[in-house]
Amino acid sequence: MNHDKRKILVTSALPYANGPIHIGHLVEYLQTDIWVRFQKMRGHDCYYVCADDAHGTPIMLKAEEAGVTPEELIERVGVEHQRDFSGFGIEFDNYYSTHSAENREISELIYGRLKDGGHIDHKIITQAYDPVKNLFLPDRFIRGTCPHCAAPDQYGDSCENCSRTYSPNDLVDPVSALSGVTPEQRESEHLFFKLANFEDMLKTWLADNDLQAGVVNKLNEWFDAGLHDWDISRDAPYFGFEIPGEPGKYFYVWLDAPIGYLASFKNLCNKTGLDFDEYCSPDSSAELYHFIGKDIMYFHTLFWPAMLHGAQFRLPTNVFVHGFLTVNGQKMSKSRGTFVTAETYLQHLNPEYLRYYFAAKIAPAIEDIDLNFDDFQQRVNSDLVGKLVNIASRCAGFLTRRFDGVLSEVYDDPELIAKLKAAAPAIAGHYEARDFARAMREIMMLADAANQYIDRRKPWVLAKTDGSDDEVQQVCSTGIALFRILMIYLKPVLPEMASAVERFLNCAPLMWRDVEQDINGREINPFKPLMRRVEAEKLEAMINDSKSAEQSQPAPSTPDDEAIASHITIEDFAKIDLRIAKIIAAKSVEGADKLLQLNVEVGDERRTVFAGLKAAYDPSQLEGKHVVVVANLKPRKMRFGVSEGMVLAAGPGGEDIFLLSPDAGAASGMEVK
């Protein structure tokens, strides 16, 4: 393997800024983080950038629903995403937002170059329009039956079953995901990217790069089916960047989302002095890798390289595609408690459990992986606690108590030390190839060999034998040396444990090359427990919390993905506790365009409720009014405080919001029947 220093730029798909990170998302970000940490341990200049995907109709509608501006929504969600990523040890060199000056600048630059190159066309199209919501529907807000494989309940732009893309007009029995009505067809002029202009270039890129077999097969299918022009514009109202020279038209979120990779790196360059062109120009000798899920392969292996080439940017070196996550063999489910957010997981379990478990499952093929909670508990307890940590815990105490923490000058079994060192090239090759599962298997086989050595030499027995001090020191020092090599191999997967081990070994941060070095004669610090066993009670508590938590829909890697509201039963409705409340005080919320803070009296209890009424009501008009509130809504922590209920109102929005107000004589706290 070439050990010359490499320049590498790495990205993960941008999480959409309308919901929380969950364990399904973490498959990708942990895979990428492990690979990047490995490259940095090898001494390469490797930069990992990402950003929140912050544009599109779903963001606009969700912000309106929450009574905040889109900018406020994406800022809040961005903070939550970075908190969750940090909690799992995912270490970005830069995390940014697509709603940025850099992204606008690069998006306009790429569009301008594509337009000047003759790759942009104008067409009048017939588009789905929701007459209830009064807006053109984004592709992902239309559901229907796939025109190719007849799979039901598919999105308006692509089928999750057969992966084919199509026009929303091709869907069978389409309905609006917002209102449930059949969309009307209305004409609108849109801008299109001529993808077919780049077919020869894309075939050359495919032939010149070692893409996964599944990616190659899919691309050849798409080439055989023919490449179609791609609609890159959306009509107002839309939260995004307006297209230069096209009033009322906005860049489709899928155009500026991948450009967000470049924008995040540009932001990093501006902050650190890195040379943007050294990594992104057509003649760059650096490497560019994208880690993505299989659901967005079409965008990243066709549109994205075509856009880059047409705008005179370098092409990706490779696009690494992974499958989805199932839990206990099934899709994640809120009712079963297997739809687990990152935040909920971190409240109960060590994040390095999941880092290791995913690493033990991830291979280069585009295959789904399964998180089985019983297997999760058994594997973590067996491998990390029973095998890995056990090596150090059985040796360190003797060295501290009897030899002041000083390791012997010679090893008891230099051949075993040499065997573990000799595995370094093969394990490095597995990391490089993203075959983490194979790397973990080989590392644990070496851990087995180390434990067998300690079982055979039995330092706890030697310690009771007169005149055996040198032997005890050498055996235990050998055990610590073996443990250190294993931790070097596992550091990309277990960075927090590796930091604790570095403190224990009293050494500088471990690099891959340190495998070759010996630690004879060094002084170590007293050993502290490195990892507790996975407790069934904590797993159960996490599952129960996931069942009861009122969670938002997942932040999808496909930006226009918005959940369809499902029907509720009369039993569900009966759970809602509607009560009459009196508004004691009302005031505007500083920093919020639409929110008022209401202090309400519900029976004998006073509560604070935030409501999006600012456009319709002066706060002074509300004091003394009686309103209907949802009294048993779970309190929601907002940037401005905690909202302890919901005031019911109706109307199209803006100034036309009408409170549901009972008679003035109604008793506060009375149930609404």
Side-chain angles (χ1 to χ4, degrees):
M1 184 176 174
N2 184 4
H3 288 280
D4 292 341
K5 197 168 192 176
R6 297 156 59 188
K7 294 183 181 296
I8 309 170
L9 178 58
V10 181
T11 76
S12 296
L14 311 185
Y16 200 44
N18 75 331
I21 301 301
H22 60 69
I23 57 173
H25 297 126
L26 290 172
V27 172
E28 178 170 312
Y29 301 99
L30 290 176
Q31 180 189 27
T32 316
D33 182 75
I34 290 168
W35 196 78
V36 167
R37 285 180 181 274
F38 165 72
Q39 300 296 350
K40 291 181 176 181
M41 279 188 73
R42 298 282 276 177
H44 301 309
D45 291 333
C46 185
Y47 298 98
Y48 181 18
V49 300
C50 197
D52 269 353
D53 186 357
H55 287 158
T57 304
I59 298 287
M60 179 180 70
L61 294 175
K62 185 152 190 173
E64 183 179 314
E65 177 188 336
V68 297
T69 65
E71 290 83 359
E72 288 170 328
L73 174 66
I74 63 179
E75 180 183 358
R76 172 177 60 78
V77 174
V79 170
E80 293 170 357
H81 284 180
Q82 292 182 67
R83 173 203 66 198
D84 292 342
F85 286 137
S86 176
F88 277 89
I90 297 164
E91 194 172 71
F92 300 105
D93 290 285
N94 200 54
Y95 195 89
Y96 206 36
S97 168
T98 58
H99 192 62
S100 68
E102 292 91 341
N103 202 31
R104 182 190 292 273
E105 175 190 344
I106 300 174
S107 295
E108 291 181 355
L109 174 66
I110 287 177
Y111 167 75
R113 288 178 176 177
L114 294 176
K115 183 179 179 182
D116 292 344
H119 305 302
I120 302 295
D121 197 7
H122 287 72
K123 297 180 185 178
I124 301 291
I125 64 169
T126 302
Q127 195 177 3
Y129 186 86
D130 188 323
V132 175
K133 292 294 184 178
N134 296 316
L135 51 76
F136 284 104
L137 289 168
D139 297 347
R140 291 242 153 183
F141 279 71
I142 309 169
R143 305 286 291 201
T145 299
C146 174
H148 300 291
C149 71
D153 197 30
Q154 295 302 311
Y155 292 116
D157 58 353
S158 63
C159 177
E160 290 184 321
N161 184 57
C162 70
S163 298
R164 293 283 292 275
T165 60
Y166 41 72
S167 165
N169 294 336
D170 296 331
L171 274 180
V172 179
D173 299 325
V175 297
S176 166
L178 293 177
S179 65
V181 302
T182 301
E184 295 179 359
Q185 298 300 312
R186 297 191 183 183
E187 288 189 345
S188 179
E189 185 177 54
H190 275 228
L191 286 77
F192 284 79
F193 173 55
K194 298 179 180 179
L195 180 62
N197 290 4
F198 299 90
E199 182 170 350
D200 291 342
M201 180 280 296
L202 289 166
K203 288 180 176 178
T204 300
W205 176 69
L206 176 62
D208 291 347
N209 292 279
D210 187 25
L211 277 69
Q212 293 150 286
V215 176
V216 173
N217 293 339
K218 270 295 174 190
L219 280 168
N220 284 327
E221 283 181 25
W222 291 328
F223 288 137
D224 291 343
L227 302 182
H228 303 287
D229 292 353
W230 177 38
D231 187 348
I232 62 167
S233 63
R234 291 296 182 267
D235 293 291
Y238 196 78
F239 181 59
F241 297 141
E242 193 168 20
I243 300 175
E246 302 287 344
K249 302 291 181 183
Y250 290 78
F251 286 128
Y252 175 37
V253 61
W254 259 117
L255 181 126
D256 69 64
I259 295 172
Y261 301 142
L262 303 183
S264 184
F265 184 60
K266 180 75 169 178
N267 179 254
L268 177 66
C269 292
N270 292 340
K271 292 188 291 190
T272 62
L274 278 169
D275 186 343
F276 180 82
D277 290 336
E278 191 174 359
Y279 286 80
C280 301
S281 66
D283 58 355
S284 169
S285 61
E287 303 165 49
L288 171 62
Y289 299 101
H290 301 300
F291 285 75
I292 63 163
K294 62 184 180 182
D295 55 330
I296 53 175
M297 195 191 313
Y298 198 96
F299 294 97
H300 282 78
T301 58
L302 289 177
F303 297 134
W304 178 232
M307 283 168 53
L308 289 169
H309 183 77
Q312 296 93 57
F313 282 87
R314 58 89 39 80
L315 299 180
T317 308
N318 212 323
V319 178
F320 298 138
V321 183
H322 63 81
F324 298 142
L325 177 72
T326 58
V327 180
N328 294 336
Q330 297 177 294
K331 284 187 175 182
M332 292 188 298
S333 161
K334 291 182 181 180
S335 63
R336 291 190 295 269
T338 58
F339 184 96
V340 182
T341 65
E343 181 182 20
T344 301
Y345 179 100
L346 291 169
Q347 289 170 356
H348 297 279
L349 296 171
N350 184 335
E352 299 217 317
Y353 296 160
L354 195 66
R355 289 183 67 100
Y356 177 74
Y357 190 79
F358 279 174
K361 294 269 188 173
I362 292 172
I366 310 172
E367 296 175 351
D368 295 349
I369 68 171
D370 185 56
L371 167 57
N372 179 282
F373 285 137
D374 291 337
D375 180 55
F376 170 83
Q377 182 180 7
Q378 186 278 330
R379 187 180 296 230
V380 170
N381 289 347
S382 172
D383 288 0
L384 297 186
V385 181
K387 294 181 182 180
L388 180 66
V389 174
N390 197 40
I391 299 168
S393 64
R394 294 203 289 177
C395 297
F398 293 110
L399 293 168
T400 300
R401 290 192 300 271
R402 299 175 66 133
F403 309 103
D404 296 325
V406 177
L407 304 179
S408 62
E409 293 293 340
V410 296
Y411 292 133
D412 177 67
D413 193 338
E415 290 185 2
L416 184 55
I417 297 283
K419 176 183 176 180
L420 264 68
K421 288 182 179 180
I427 293 172
H430 300 327
Y431 271 119
E432 182 69 41
R434 306 171 330 284
D435 197 346
F436 302 159
R438 189 170 178 184
M440 297 307 104
R441 287 196 300 272
E442 295 196 11
I443 293 167
M444 285 304 146
M445 287 174 61
L446 296 175
D448 284 336
N451 277 295
Q452 290 163 8
Y453 162 75
I454 295 169
D455 289 340
R456 185 174 70 250
R457 296 295 283 128
K458 295 181 174 59
W460 52 92
V461 174
L462 290 174
K464 298 177 182 178
T465 306
D466 292 340
S468 66
D469 277 4
D470 287 350
E471 198 171 1
V472 171
Q473 187 183 24
Q474 289 173 17
V475 169
C476 291
S477 298
T478 300
I480 296 301
L482 295 169
F483 173 71
R484 172 182 171 273
I485 294 170
L486 293 170
M487 279 311 307
I488 292 173
Y489 294 155
L490 284 167
K491 184 176 178 179
V493 178
L494 304 172
E496 283 301 312
M497 185 188 287
S499 294
V501 169
E502 288 159 358
R503 292 190 293 273
F504 162 57
L505 296 177
N506 197 25
C507 69
L510 293 166
M511 300 291 285
W512 199 266
R513 60 178 175 269
D514 293 333
V515 167
E516 297 300 325
Q517 297 179 358
D518 290 319
I519 54 172
N520 316 58
R522 292 191 190 175
E523 183 178 345
I524 60 173
N525 291 317
F527 180 79
K528 296 179 180 179
L530 294 170
M531 180 171 284
R532 301 171 68 92
R533 300 175 71 82
V534 179
E535 299 173 12
E537 295 79 9
K538 291 190 175 182
L539 258 177
E540 190 65 29
M542 180 190 73
I543 293 169
N544 288 335
D545 278 5
S546 298
K547 286 178 182 175
S548 61
E550 291 183 325
Q551 296 159 333
S552 301
Q553 289 293 324
S557 52
T558 44
D560 273 354
D561 195 355
E562 181 75 358
I564 300 175
S566 58
H567 293 96
I568 66 171
T569 65
I570 189 65
E571 289 78 15
D572 292 325
F573 182 76
K575 296 175 184 176
I576 302 173
D577 184 8
L578 299 178
R579 292 184 179 268
I580 298 168
K582 183 178 181 180
I583 300 176
I584 305 302
K587 64 178 182 179
S588 297
V589 177
E590 186 175 349
D593 292 341
K594 298 183 180 180
L595 288 184
L596 294 181
Q597 179 179 319
L598 308 179
N599 294 326
V600 301
E601 187 175 79
V602 186
D604 296 327
E605 183 182 2
R606 291 201 175 189
R607 300 189 188 183
T608 298
V609 177
F610 292 94
L613 303 171
K614 193 172 183 178
Y617 291 94
D618 185 293
S620 63
Q621 296 176 311
L622 295 176
E623 294 182 5
K625 272 187 176 291
H626 288 79
V627 292
V628 177
V629 299
V630 180
N632 62 338
L633 189 67
K634 182 178 178 180
R636 180 185 173 200
K637 187 175 183 180
M638 303 178 70
R639 184 156 63 94
F640 316 100
V642 177
S643 186
E644 301 171 294
M646 177 186 289
V647 173
L648 298 189
E655 296 179 0
D656 296 321
I657 300 175
F658 308 102
L659 289 171
L660 303 185
S661 301
D663 293 337
S668 177
M670 182 184 296
E671 287 188 37
V672 179
K673 298 294 187 182

